[in-house]
C-alpha cells in the first residue's frame, strides 16, 4: 500500500481477531505466542512458525519430549499406541505403532514400509545404518543408499566357497551397492521363493530359495541323485518299491534294506479285519518300526492261524509273505510277527464263509471297522420287477457272521435292502440303510456306513512350526485325513467347516477352514494366534493323518483364496501318522462358541445356540511337520467339464484300509470357457512328500478332481496308480456329471438318457444314489447301463427309523463310478475277491452331482 509516499507491505492485521487462534496482532503482523500455536512439525521463532528440523533422537527435542524418527517429529512420551497417532482411528493406530518405554515406534514387516533412509529391524522402523560402503566397518558393505544396513561379505571364486542357499557372483548392473567394487565376486543369497514357479530358467525351489539347476529331456542328463521332471533336473530319490533292488523298500524317499530283527521294537498289521469265502485269498501286510521311528514294510514274517480258543486252526493257510488262503468256514485269528524279533505279535480277525452252493447270500459288515454286523434286517426280492413293489419280499436277520441267507432265490437277479435297528446316543440311526438293485451277484457284500445326519467323524490336532524349513511372518498349517471314499471329498469339506476368527487389533472376523491353524508375527506386538487348533472332518475307520505346515511372508498371503491354500502347501513341510483310529460321533452342543459365529449354549455370551461336530471328543493328534516335499510330478490335466473352474491335484498312497492318502496337494484355476463350455487347465508341477511311518506299504498314484470354487455340489475325479509315482502323469478325461430326478411317492429314480448314455460310453459301470432325509440316509447301488431306464428304490425293512426313500423333500445325490480294468459292477458287489471294502484301490474315475 502507499504509506507516506512510499509503497509498503499491507498489514496482515489491525486487531487480534484478524489472526488465527494463538496468534496476536503486533505492528500489523500476526505473531505466534508459543509452539502450541504452530503445526506439529513447527516451532515459534521470533513470532513466526518455522518448520523444525527433523529429529533423529530425543536429544533434538525439547526437554521431556521424544522423537518419532520416521516422521522426525518430537512428541510427548506415549502411554499406549493410540498416543502416537492422535486423531487416527485407534484400531489403525494400533497396527501402525507400538509404544515402548514411552517411545512411539512405527511397526513394519519390511524395509519398504519404513520409507527412504530407514530399515525394518525386529519389527520396527529404525534409521538406516549406512549410505555407502565408507559408512561400514572393514569387511562389510552397505546394502543400499536409501535404506541400508552394513553386512559382512565373503569374496569368492566359485560356488564351492559359499554356504547353503548362496552362490558366488558379482552384482548385476543396477544392483551394485554404493561404494562397492562391482567387479568383485562375493557369496550372495539366492533368490527367495515359495514354489518352483517363482524361479526362472532351470532353477527349482528348495529351502525357500531358487536353487540353480539344469535343463533336461531325460533323467540320464541329470547328475546323480537328480531326476528330470518338467524339463528340469530336480532332487530325485526312489518313488516306489519298484525303484529299489531286491530286499530293499522305498521308505522316506530312499531305498533301504530291512532292519535287523534285533532292532525292531514294534509292528503294524493291515488289514486287521476281513471277510473271506472258502477259496478266497487276501494279503496281510506287515510293517516294522525301529527305536528311532524308522519304518519298513516287511516282505516276509511269521504267521500263525488260531481258532477262538487259541488252538491252531486249519480254516486258513498263511504263507510267509502274508498270503491268506481260505480253506474252511470259521472264525480265525491270524497272529503275525517278524522272524527273530522279540516284539508283541499283531492280530487280524478273519471270518471265513462256506462256498455258496445255491440260492443267494448277503453279508453285512461295518464300513469303518469291517466287522460283521449281527441283527441287521435284510429284505430280499427274487427276480424283482422292473417297476412296482416286490411281489414276494423275504426278510431275514443277519447272524453273528453278518450273514443273511436266501436259499429259495433262483432268479437271474435279486434286490436286497439292509437296515440296522441300532441307535446312536442321540436316538438317530447309527448306520445308513444300504440297497443293491437287480444284481446278478449271488453272494453280495454290503458295508453299512455311519449315518452322517447330525453326526460326523474327525480329529482335533496341534501343529508345531518349530522345525519347518521356511520363514516368514505368517505361520500356516493344515491337516487332513485319508479318504476311504474319495468320491465324498470336495472343496467344501476337504479342509472342514469354516471358523470365524478375529483379525489382530480389529473386531472384524474372517472365515478360516476348520483344519487350518494360523499365527502372525507382527513386530514387537509379538505373535498373534489367529487359530491355534486344527479341527478337521473325515471318514471313520483306520486312517492316515497328514499335516502340512510352513511360514510365508505376510505380503504373499494378503490375497489368498481358499483354493490358493492348496497351491502353497507345496512350499510346506509335512508329517503323517498311519494307522490312526477315527470314530464317528453325534453332534454336540457348542458350549464356548468354538467356531466364532456367535452361537453357543452359553446364553450370557451368545445370541443363540447350535450343535457342532464333537471336536473335543474326536481323536487328538500332535503333528511336527519337518520333512520337505522333495518329489515332483508333472501333471497334465484334461479340460474341466462345463460348470467347473478349479482343478485339485494330489499325490497319494492307496490302500484298501486307509483309503486315498494325500502326501502332496495343489490346485490350479482353469482358463476361459471354450465354445463347448469346457475350460483348459495348464500343467501342474505337483510337489509331494515321500511316504513313511507305515504309509509306504500302499500304492503310489495321483488323484485329480474338477470342482467349482463357489459350489461343492458337483465333482468329477480321476485316480491314476502306478508301481512307482511317475514323473509325468496325463490324467484321463473327466467323467460327465450324472443327472436324474427322484419321485419319493413312487420311490422312482428317473435318469437322464443323455447323461446315462454319455457315462456308459465313458466306461462308468456302477451307480450309487444317496437319499438323505431328516434322520438318516438310504444308499443304493446298481449297474449303470445306457438307456437310462427308471429304477425303483427297493422296499426296505423296518430299521431304526422311517426309510428316507419315502420322505417328502428328501435330498438326492448321484455318483457314477468307473472301476479299474477287469473289475465289474457285479464283481465289486460280490463277497469273494475284490469287493466294496477294496473300493479305494479299484476306483479309476467318478463323477457326483446333487440335483436341486
Amino acid at each position: 500500500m502507499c504509506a507516506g509516499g512510499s509503497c509498503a507491505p499491507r498489514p496482515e492485521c489491525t486487531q487480534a481477531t484478524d489472526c488465527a487462534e494463538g496468534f496476536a496482532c503486533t505492528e500489523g503482523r500476526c505473531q505466534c505466542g508459543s509452539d502450541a500455536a504452530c503445526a506439529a512439525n513447527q516451532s515459534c521463532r521470533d513470532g513466526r512458525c518455522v518448520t523444525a528440523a527433523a529429529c533423529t533422537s530425543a536429544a533434538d527435542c525439547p526437554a521431556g519430549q521424544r522423537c518419532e524418527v520416521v516422521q522426525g517429529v518430537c512428541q510427548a512420551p506415549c502411554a499406549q499406541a493410540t498416543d502416537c497417532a492422535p486423531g487416527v482411528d485407534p484400531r489403525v493406530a494400533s497396527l501402525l505403532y507400538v509404544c515402548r518405554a514411552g517411545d512411539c515406534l512405527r511397526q513394519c514387516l519390511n524395509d519398504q514400509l519404513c520409507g527412504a533412509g530407514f530399515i525394518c529391524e525386529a519389527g520396527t522402523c529404525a534409521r538406516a545404518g549406512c549410505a555407502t560402503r565408507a559408512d561400514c566397518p572393514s569387511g562389510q558393505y552397505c546394502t543400499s543408499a536409501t535404506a541400508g544396513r552394513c553386512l559382512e561379505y565373503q569374496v569368492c571364486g566359485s560356488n564351492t566357497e559359499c554356504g547353503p542357499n548362496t552362490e558366488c557372483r558379482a552384482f548385476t548392473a543396477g544392483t551394485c551397492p554404493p561404494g562397492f567394487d562391482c567387479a568383485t565376486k562375493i557369496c550372495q543369497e539366492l533368490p527367495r521363493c515359495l514354489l518352483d514357479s517363482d524361479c526362472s530358467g532351470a532353477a527349482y525351489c528348495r529351502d525357500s530359495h531358487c536353487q540353480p539347476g539344469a535343463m533336461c529331456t531325460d533323467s540320464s542328463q541329470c547328475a546323480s541323485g537328480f531326476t528330470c521332471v518338467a524339463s528340469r533336473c530336480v532332487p530325485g530319490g526312489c518313488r516306489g518299491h519298484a525303484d529299489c533292488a531286491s530286499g530293499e523298500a522305498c521308505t522316506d524317499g530312499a531305498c533301504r534294506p530291512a532292519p535287523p530283527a534285533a532292532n525292531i521294537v514294534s509292528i503294524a498289521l493291515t488289514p486287521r479285519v476281513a471277510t473271506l469265502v472258502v477259496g478266497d485269498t487276501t494279503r496281510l501286510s506287515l510293517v516294522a518300526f525301529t527305536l528311532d521311528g524308522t519304518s519298513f514294510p516287511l516282505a516276509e514274517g511269521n504267521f500263525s492261524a488260531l481258532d477262538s480258543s487259541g488252538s491252531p486252526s486249519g480254516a486258513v493257510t498263511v504263507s510267509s509273505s502274508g498270503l491268506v488262503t481260505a480253506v474252511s468256514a470259521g472264525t480265525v485269528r491270524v497272529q503275525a510277527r517278524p522272524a527273530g524279533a522279540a516284539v508283541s505279535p499283531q492280530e487280524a480277525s478273519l471270518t471265513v464263509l462256506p462256498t455258496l452252493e445255491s440260492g443267494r447270500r448277503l453279508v453285512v459288515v461295518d464300513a469303518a471297522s469291517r466287522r460283521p454286523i449281527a441283527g441287521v434286517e435284510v429284505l430280499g426280492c427274487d427276480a424283482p420287477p422292473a417297476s412296482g413293489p416286490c411281489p414276494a419280499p423275504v426278510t431275514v436277520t443277519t447272524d453273528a457272521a453278518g450273514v443273511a441267507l436266501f436259499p429259495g432265490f433262483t432268479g437271474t437277479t435279486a434286490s436286497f435292502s439292509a437296515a440296522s435297528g441300532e441307535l446312536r446316543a442321540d436316538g438317530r440311526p447309527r448306520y445308513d440303510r444300504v440297497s443293491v438293485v437287480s444284481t446278478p451277484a449271488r453272494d453280495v457284500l454290503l458295508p453299512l456306513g455311519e449315518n452322517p445326519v447330525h453326526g460326523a467323524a474327525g480329529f482335533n490336532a496341534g501343529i508345531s512350526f518349530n522345525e519347518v524349513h521356511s520363514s516368514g511372518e505368517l505361520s500356516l498349517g493344515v491337516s487332513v485325513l485319508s479318504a476311504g471314499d474319495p468320491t465324498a471329498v470336495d472343496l467344501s469339506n476337504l479342509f472342514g467347516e469354516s471358523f470365524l476368527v478375529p483379525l489382530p487389533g480389529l473386531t472384524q472376523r474372517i472365515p478360516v477352514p476348520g483344519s487350518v491353524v494360523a499365527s502372525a508375527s507382527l513386530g514387537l506386538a509379538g505373535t498373534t494366534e489367529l487359530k491355534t487348533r486344527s479341527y478337521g472332518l473325515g471318514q471313520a475307520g483306520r486312517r492316515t493323518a497328514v499335516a502340512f505346515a510352513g511360514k510365508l511372508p505376510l505380503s504373499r498371503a494378503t490375497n489368498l483364496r481358499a483354493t490358493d491354500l492348496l497351491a502353497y502347501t507345496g512350499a510346506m513341510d509335512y508329517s503323517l501318522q498311519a494307522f490312526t483310529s477315527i470314530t464317528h460321533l453325534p453332534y454336540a452342543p457348542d458350549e464356548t462358541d468354538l467356531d466364532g459365529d456367535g452361537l453357543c449354549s452359553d446364553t450370557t455370551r451368545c445370541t443363540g445356540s447350535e450343535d457342532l461336530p464333537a471336536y473335543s471328543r474326536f481323536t487328538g493328534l500332535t503333528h511336527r511337520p519337518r520333512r520337505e516335499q522333495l518329489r515332483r510330478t508333472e501333471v497334465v490335466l484334461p479340460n474341466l467339464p462345463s460348470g467347473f473352474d478349479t482343478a485339485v491335484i494330489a499325490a497319494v498312497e492307496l490302500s484298501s484300509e486307509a483309503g486315498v492318502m494325500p502326501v502332496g496337494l495343489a490346485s490350479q484355476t482353469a482358463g476361459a470357457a471354450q465354445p463347448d463350455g469346457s475350460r483348459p487347465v495348464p500343467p501342474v508341477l505337483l510337489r509331494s512328500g515321500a511316504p513313511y511311518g507305515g504309509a509306504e506299504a500302499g500304492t503310489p498314484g495321483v488323484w485329480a478332481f474338477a470342482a467349482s470354487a463357489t459350489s461343492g455340489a458337483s465333482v468329477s475325479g480321476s485316480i491314476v496308480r502306478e508301481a512307482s509315482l511317475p514323473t509325468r502323469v496325463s490324467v484321463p478325461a473327466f467323467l460327465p456329471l450324472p443327472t436324474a430326478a427322484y419321485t419319493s411317492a413312487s420311490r422312482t429314480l428317473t435318469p437322464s438318457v443323455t447323461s446315462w448314455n454319455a457315462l456308459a460310453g465313458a466306461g462308468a459301470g456302477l451307480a450309487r444314489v444317496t437319499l438323505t432325509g431328516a434322520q438318516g440316509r438310504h444308499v443304493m447301488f446298481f449297474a449303470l447301463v445306457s438307456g437310462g431306464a427308471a429304477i425303483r428304490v427297493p422296499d426296505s425293512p423296518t430299521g431304526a427309523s422311517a426309510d428316507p426313500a419315502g420322505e417328502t423333500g428328501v435330498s438326492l445325490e448321484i455318483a457314477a463310478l468307473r472301476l479299474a480294468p477287469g473289475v465289474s459292477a457285479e464283481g465289486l458287489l460280490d463277497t469273494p475277491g475284490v469287493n466294496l471294502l477294496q473300493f479305494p484301490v479299484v476306483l479309476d474315475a467318478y463323477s457326483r452331482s446333487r440335483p436341486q
Side-chain angles (χ1 to χ4, degrees):
M1 67 180 184
C2 183
S6 299
C7 290
R10 187 179 297 276
E12 293 180 354
C13 59
T14 58
Q15 56 188 1
T17 54
D18 295 336
C19 301
E21 184 178 352
F23 287 76
C25 186
T26 305
E27 297 179 355
R29 286 198 315 153
C30 291
Q31 298 189 34
C32 57
S34 66
D35 291 345
C38 302
N41 62 338
Q42 294 182 325
S43 59
C44 185
R45 298 289 185 268
D46 299 326
R48 290 288 187 185
C49 290
V50 294
T51 300
C55 63
T56 59
S57 67
D60 299 330
C61 299
Q65 293 192 340
R66 307 292 180 89
C67 180
E68 197 280 278
V69 295
V70 174
Q71 296 185 82
V73 174
C74 294
Q75 298 176 330
C78 62
Q80 54 189 2
T82 52
D83 298 337
C84 301
V88 175
D89 187 324
R91 296 173 299 176
V92 177
S94 297
L95 293 176
L96 290 175
Y97 289 96
V98 62
C99 180
R100 186 180 186 187
D103 289 322
C104 289
L105 304 176
R106 178 74 69 87
Q107 297 196 96
C108 58
L109 297 172
N110 51 51
D111 291 344
Q112 289 70 32
L113 293 178
C114 295
F118 294 88
I119 56 177
C120 187
E121 290 286 307
T124 60
C125 295
R127 284 199 165 274
C130 60
T132 182
R133 184 186 178 192
D135 298 331
C136 299
S138 176
Q140 297 184 4
Y141 70 92
C142 186
T143 56
S144 170
T146 56
R149 51 175 56 82
C150 294
L151 293 180
E152 293 183 356
Y153 66 90
Q154 177 184 338
V155 177
C156 59
S158 68
N159 289 339
T160 57
E161 302 174 48
C162 299
N165 299 319
T166 61
E167 64 177 341
C168 184
R169 57 181 168 86
F171 286 101
T172 58
T175 64
C176 188
F180 193 78
D181 181 1
C182 300
T184 303
K185 286 187 175 183
I186 66 171
C187 295
Q188 296 188 51
E189 184 182 15
L190 293 168
R192 286 190 166 269
C193 59
L194 286 175
L195 306 171
D196 289 329
S197 56
D198 296 335
C199 304
S200 58
Y204 61 92
C205 190
R206 185 176 182 182
D207 289 337
S208 300
H209 291 81
C210 291
Q211 309 291 340
M215 302 299 290
C216 59
T217 57
D218 185 82
S219 294
S220 62
Q221 300 170 345
C222 300
S224 176
F226 283 74
T227 303
C228 187
V229 181
S231 302
R232 299 182 189 183
C233 290
V234 295
C238 60
R239 303 168 68 90
H241 304 311
D243 296 344
C244 300
S246 177
E248 294 185 336
C250 183
T251 178
D252 213 0
C255 290
R256 308 175 195 273
N263 292 356
I264 298 174
V265 296
S266 63
I267 54 174
L269 184 67
T270 185
R272 293 189 301 182
V273 180
T275 298
L276 306 173
V277 176
V278 170
D280 234 347
T281 62
T282 191
R283 187 172 297 278
L284 301 178
S285 297
L286 195 59
V287 178
F289 296 88
T290 57
L291 190 60
D292 61 1
T294 301
S295 60
F296 188 90
L298 297 173
E300 294 189 337
N302 288 339
F303 297 89
S304 56
L306 308 173
D307 61 21
S308 57
S309 66
S311 301
S313 171
V316 300
T317 61
V318 192
S319 70
S320 61
S321 65
L323 182 65
V324 178
T325 301
V327 177
S328 60
T331 301
V332 186
R333 296 156 46 207
V334 176
Q335 290 188 343
R337 60 159 54 96
V343 297
S344 299
Q346 290 290 300
E347 192 169 285
S349 176
L350 309 180
T351 300
V352 180
L353 303 176
T355 303
L356 184 66
E357 300 294 343
S358 61
R360 293 181 184 268
R361 176 170 60 192
L362 189 88
V363 183
V364 181
V365 299
D366 184 305
S369 70
R370 300 174 172 236
R371 296 188 179 279
I373 307 177
V376 175
E377 287 186 318
V378 179
L379 189 153
C381 184
D382 192 25
S387 61
C390 179
V394 177
T395 300
V396 179
T397 301
T398 59
D399 60 17
V403 171
L405 291 173
F406 297 84
F409 281 24
T410 58
T412 57
T413 64
S415 293
F416 297 99
S417 186
S420 169
E422 189 173 347
L423 298 175
R424 297 189 316 214
D426 63 357
R428 292 179 174 85
R430 176 179 176 182
Y431 294 109
D432 290 333
R433 293 170 180 261
V434 182
S435 297
V436 58
V437 180
S438 298
T439 178
R442 308 192 67 83
D443 198 2
V444 178
L445 181 138
L446 284 188
L448 302 191
E450 300 272 4
N451 172 23
V453 176
H454 207 256
F459 61 89
N460 70 79
I463 302 177
S464 169
F465 296 90
N466 295 335
E467 299 170 87
V468 300
H469 289 80
S470 50
S471 61
E473 301 84 21
L474 180 65
S475 297
L476 196 63
V478 60
S479 48
V480 295
L481 292 173
S482 60
D485 179 9
T487 70
V489 176
D490 54 39
L491 287 179
S492 65
N493 61 27
L494 182 60
F495 293 140
E497 301 178 343
S498 288
F499 281 54
L500 296 173
V501 302
L503 288 170
L506 301 176
T507 57
Q508 177 185 355
R509 290 175 174 265
I510 59 172
V512 174
S515 60
V516 168
V517 297
S519 62
S521 299
L522 301 174
L524 293 178
T527 299
T528 300
E529 302 290 351
L530 301 178
K531 188 169 180 295
T532 60
R533 196 81 183 159
S534 176
Y535 298 107
L537 301 178
Q539 297 164 10
R542 200 181 187 201
R543 304 288 173 226
T544 298
V546 187
F548 303 92
K551 299 180 179 181
L552 67 157
L554 200 58
S555 57
R556 292 292 294 269
T558 305
N559 299 314
L560 278 182
R561 302 171 304 159
T563 52
D564 293 325
L565 176 62
L566 288 164
Y568 281 100
T569 55
M572 300 178 180
D573 291 344
Y574 76 102
S575 66
L576 58 87
Q577 297 178 46
F579 316 116
T580 300
S581 180
I582 301 297
T583 57
H584 191 281
L585 297 171
Y587 277 15
D590 184 4
E591 298 179 352
T592 60
D593 194 16
L594 185 67
D595 57 357
D597 63 357
L599 302 174
C600 67
S601 55
D602 184 352
T603 56
T604 63
R605 60 179 292 181
C606 297
T607 58
S609 62
E610 68 174 348
D611 291 347
L612 288 180
Y615 291 113
S616 64
R617 296 173 55 203
F618 283 160
T619 301
L621 302 168
T622 300
H623 290 289
R624 294 173 54 198
R626 52 185 170 174
R627 286 172 165 83
E628 290 185 89
Q629 298 181 69
L630 299 181
R631 300 191 303 177
R632 289 166 170 82
T633 303
E634 183 183 16
V635 181
V636 181
L637 296 158
N639 282 12
L640 305 189
S642 178
F644 296 122
D645 55 26
T646 304
V648 177
I649 311 98
V652 296
E653 294 289 317
L654 300 147
S655 76
S656 61
E657 187 175 58
V660 181
M661 181 193 75
V663 288
L665 292 163
S667 65
Q668 181 66 59
T669 301
Q674 304 297 297
D676 63 354
S678 68
R679 293 176 180 266
V681 185
V684 173
L685 190 57
L686 172 64
R687 289 184 64 172
S688 61
Y692 69 97
E696 71 272 35
T699 301
V702 169
W703 172 29
F705 63 85
S708 168
T710 58
S711 172
S714 301
V715 67
S716 184
S718 185
I719 296 175
V720 178
R721 57 185 67 80
E722 300 284 350
S724 292
L725 182 66
T727 57
R728 187 177 191 273
V729 170
S730 292
V731 177
F734 291 111
L735 289 178
L737 291 178
T739 56
Y742 182 69
T743 305
S744 57
S746 61
R747 303 173 65 92
T748 302
L749 180 84
T750 306
S752 159
V753 174
T754 302
S755 167
W756 243 238
N757 287 347
L759 287 164
L766 182 65
R768 184 189 67 212
V769 168
T770 303
L771 302 165
T772 304
Q775 297 292 311
R777 299 194 312 183
H778 190 144
V779 180
M780 176 176 69
F781 292 93
F782 58 94
L784 191 157
V785 295
S786 58
I791 297 168
R792 188 178 188 278
V793 178
D795 295 315
S796 189
T798 305
S801 66
D803 184 0
E807 292 183 20
T808 302
V810 64
S811 66
L812 171 67
E813 177 186 284
I814 316 165
L817 314 171
R818 186 174 71 210
L819 306 175
V823 181
S824 65
E826 176 185 354
L828 192 66
L829 295 173
D830 232 350
T831 302
V834 176
N835 54 46
L836 282 171
L837 293 177
Q838 284 80 47
F839 179 62
V841 298
V842 297
L843 178 66
D844 268 7
Y846 60 92
S847 61
R848 188 202 70 210
S849 65
R850 295 173 183 155
Q852 299 298 320

